[in-house]
Amino acid sequence: KNVLLQDSIIAESLWHSIDPQGPRGNAIFVGETARDIRFVTNLLAANNDRNIRWKYDTHGEMINNVIFGWGGTSSWNTTNITDQDNYDIATYLDVIGNVYQAGSDGLSSAYAVYSENTPSGSRVFLSDNKASNLTNLDSTYRVSSRILTGPTPISSTNTYEYVLSNAGSRPWDRSPDDLRVIAGVRDKTLRLRDKVGTWPSIVENHRVVTVSTDPISETDLDAALIYF
């Protein structure tokens, strides 16, 4: 309940790797009974599936995200609210100001927001999204106004540049992988991956700490902590 994921990069979930179930490559899965789950100004890139999958009995929002480079040969791999389990408990979802781009591995004609066997009573608000093929969702489930109250969206015209400029923990000092992912989205070359390279070499910082006798006094504790 009450989860916000914002300005993050969710990219390159490995496709044909070591999972015993075979090819996977999943991005984000929102499980049943989740409430007020919001994804705002994130980059989802080169993830085969679940971009994002909303299960039955979920309430949430997708606002101003960039979804790039899904996989598959059907509409299943984009944003999905299909009820495979036949529990038939409604999904409530706002999808506002997002940008969907298929990339090299994705089906360009896939529906950005796809559903079949839609849970009864579901309510979905779609507004200002950019996609070559927006949705197959029956009008029965579509509503004309926003369902949940969350962050104020920006125009989808500005979504792409905003996300690519701001997503990631340190957009002002990006790691080589973040730079590579962003560049791959910009030039439309980022693709699904089966494996990664070696672990990066990261500088280690060491500090010597002199441990006082036990029990430690407040004075000794303060003196030790001041260095941190």
Side-chain angles (χ1 to χ4, degrees), residues 88-156:
D88 205 30
I89 306 175
T91 296
Y92 287 27
L93 180 62
D94 294 318
V95 185
I96 306 170
N98 302 281
V99 175
Y100 290 82
Q101 295 182 348
S104 301
D105 295 312
L107 183 68
S108 60
S109 61
Y111 292 108
V113 180
Y114 177 73
S115 186
E116 61 182 58
N117 198 32
T118 311
S120 299
S122 291
R123 298 172 61 196
V124 180
F125 176 61
L126 303 174
S127 176
D128 189 33
N129 297 286
K130 290 187 178 297
S132 59
N133 203 9
L134 180 58
T135 189
N136 71 324
L137 189 68
D138 191 274
S139 60
T140 304
Y141 306 107
R142 297 181 60 172
V143 296
S144 58
S145 58
R146 188 172 177 176
I147 301 163
L148 303 178
T149 303
T152 301
I154 62 174
S155 169
S156 64

Side-chain angles (χ1 to χ4, degrees), residues 11-27:
E12 298 184 320
S13 55
L14 299 185
W15 168 226
H16 201 293
S17 185
I18 61 173
D19 194 302
Q21 297 183 66
R24 303 294 287 167
N26 298 322

